[in-house]
Amino acid sequence: MKRLLLSGLLLVAGTAAAADVWDDTGAVYLSPMLQYTILDHKRDFRDDFGVGAALGYNFAPNFALEFDYSNGSYKIKGPEENSGPSDQLRALSLDVMYKFLPHSIFRPYLIAGAGELQDRIGGADTNRTWMAEAGVGMLTALGAQSGSARLQLRTEAKYRREFIQDTAFIPNNPGDVVFGIGLQLSFGNPTRPAPVVAAPAPAPEPAPIPREVVAVPPPPEPCHAPAGFQVDANCRIIEQTIVVRAVDFEFNSTQLTAPAQRTLDEVAAALLTQPELNVEIQGHTDSIGSDAYNLNLSQRRAQSVKAYLVGRGLNETALTAKGYGKAKPIAGNDTAEGRAQNRRVAFEVTNGLAHVTVVKEGATDASTQAAKQGEPPIKKK
């Protein structure tokens, strides 16, 4: 009957269920317990109550190391029960505990260890011997398990083996079963971080009062027409005349003069208004020098003008550079003025477009005068 009753102690549940369970690694605990020991049947002493205590440390998740102390006095069997000698058992051991279900209010565990057992019968000398023990238990949460200090109900049953032989009144290597029930109070437990409280959502703005929506067309894009050109309502140039003016070069040079660059800027602005136009850039020279030399020089002049126009934003594929040498003069080569006019680059539109009239004009006076610079004097024969 006693065995059945004491075995039922392992199933005792806590009086208050824990609503919050948290890790206990790093905590120190103290466990005072009431014990009942069922002695080895070979002993001549009766089973009885005793006391025990444990001081432990949770050194890792689910693991604890503890010092266990146990003390009990057991009367002799038979008619001499009240007057005969008693067997006093006092144990001190170092035990390791492994706990299951880390986040449950019920934490079953295994425990095992070894230490010293003092076995003293009556007034005889104390027998000091080695002992080993192992068992099972249950920690049942009493209250919340998330604070720094926590309380649990501890129930356990251990088998304890005493290693002793050839001693009067003590059987060889007896084994006892020790039941215990008590409280476990732990300190220094890690606490759960405070929950992050989200700021309340702002109140929704009241819905606007519906009203009639009148579509307003977007303002038209500003029209930036080139100076001197007419445009339609869509800012498209219409019925216009595009003036492309030739430029002159200094003697034996492909370098554009300042007046020539100003003229080409105007040509580029005009051609940008009609990107569909295809233009041949024609290079020419005066009559001084061989045909082959002048043909090459005129080609390089045409290429120089093309590169300048492309740099001003014109599409390279719409421009063709071609040199004609001294084959197409527009003035006599017997004067410096005429030769400067012949050292030119002119433009020819190779495809016609509706509403676009292309007017080709000669170089400006400033361009021609700049082209006269650097020409060596011509020796008369």
Side-chain angles (χ1 to χ4, degrees):
M1 184 66 178
K2 287 182 179 180
R3 295 175 185 268
L4 181 61
L5 178 61
L6 292 172
S7 299
L9 292 176
L10 295 175
L11 302 178
V12 175
T15 57
D20 191 8
V21 181
W22 193 241
D23 182 30
D24 58 5
T25 304
V28 177
Y29 60 87
L30 177 66
S31 300
M33 287 188 290
L34 177 66
Q35 295 179 332
Y36 188 88
T37 303
I38 299 177
L39 299 174
D40 190 299
H41 68 281
K42 297 178 183 178
R43 293 184 188 270
D44 293 328
F45 299 91
R46 296 183 180 277
D47 307 336
D48 208 342
F49 288 95
V51 295
L55 178 63
Y57 173 66
N58 295 305
F59 65 91
N62 303 327
F63 282 96
L65 186 67
E66 64 180 34
F67 289 102
D68 278 3
Y69 172 78
S70 176
N71 190 9
S73 182
Y74 309 94
K75 297 180 180 180
I76 193 170
K77 296 177 182 178
E80 301 89 359
E81 176 179 341
N82 294 324
S83 59
S86 297
D87 188 1
Q88 185 176 22
L89 301 177
R90 182 177 298 167
L92 183 63
S93 64
L94 180 64
D95 292 357
V96 176
M97 176 189 295
Y98 179 76
K99 294 174 282 189
F100 301 90
L101 306 178
H103 298 290
S104 171
I105 62 174
F106 300 103
R107 299 201 65 182
Y109 62 85
L110 300 176
I111 188 168
E116 181 188 69
L117 179 65
Q118 298 180 11
D119 192 342
R120 183 177 183 182
I121 299 178
D125 295 335
T126 299
N127 299 291
R128 298 178 183 274
T129 181
W130 288 102
M131 54 81 67
E133 61 183 9
V136 297
M138 175 76 75
L139 294 172
T140 303
L142 300 177
Q145 301 293 295
S146 59
S148 176
R150 304 173 192 176
L151 183 64
Q152 297 168 319
L153 176 68
R154 178 169 175 171
T155 53
E156 67 182 24
K158 296 190 290 188
Y159 176 77
R160 184 174 65 198
R161 184 70 177 268
E162 179 182 359
F163 298 99
I164 190 170
Q165 293 182 343
D166 303 326
T167 303
F169 305 109
I170 302 177
N172 291 339
N173 303 324
D176 307 321
V177 178
V178 182
F179 294 92
I181 182 171
L183 298 176
Q184 179 161 304
L185 181 61
S186 60
F187 305 91
N189 294 277
T191 56
R192 184 190 295 273
V196 178
V197 179
E205 297 182 0
I209 300 175
R211 57 184 179 181
E212 183 179 358
V213 178
V214 178
V216 178
E221 292 290 335
C223 179
H224 301 288
F229 290 94
Q230 296 180 350
V231 296
D232 60 13
N234 296 321
C235 204
R236 181 75 173 179
I237 297 175
I238 56 173
E239 298 295 343
Q240 67 174 10
T241 299
I242 293 180
V243 178
V244 286
R245 184 181 296 276
V247 293
D248 294 335
F249 284 80
E250 293 181 6
F251 177 77
N252 198 30
S253 173
T254 60
Q255 183 69 34
L256 290 168
T257 63
Q261 292 180 13
R262 289 192 292 271
T263 298
L264 289 180
D265 289 341
E266 297 175 359
V267 172
L271 293 178
L272 284 172
T273 64
Q274 294 293 336
E276 298 89 352
L277 291 177
N278 294 328
V279 178
E280 181 181 85
I281 304 170
Q282 301 175 343
H284 302 276
T285 68
D286 58 23
S287 62
I288 300 175
S290 67
D291 292 346
Y293 179 83
N294 282 319
L295 185 62
N296 178 268
L297 178 60
S298 64
Q299 181 67 35
R300 287 189 288 123
R301 286 173 175 168
Q303 293 286 0
S304 175
V305 171
K306 177 180 178 181
Y308 188 90
L309 295 178
V310 171
R312 292 299 183 271
L314 269 67
N315 187 355
E316 183 177 8
T317 60
L319 303 177
T320 303
K322 185 174 181 180
Y324 288 88
K326 58 184 179 181
K328 295 182 178 182
I330 58 172
N333 283 301
D334 52 350
T335 65
E337 181 78 17
R339 289 190 295 273
Q341 295 180 32
N342 289 335
R343 295 193 295 269
R344 73 194 187 281
V345 167
F347 302 94
E348 183 74 29
V349 176
T350 60
N351 65 324
L353 296 178
H355 310 295
V356 178
T357 301
V358 180
V359 177
K360 298 183 293 181
E361 294 186 358
T364 64
D365 291 340
S367 178
T368 302
Q369 293 303 315
K372 292 171 62 177
Q373 304 300 318
E375 179 179 337
I378 303 300
K379 295 181 180 181
K380 297 183 180 180
K381 296 181 180 180

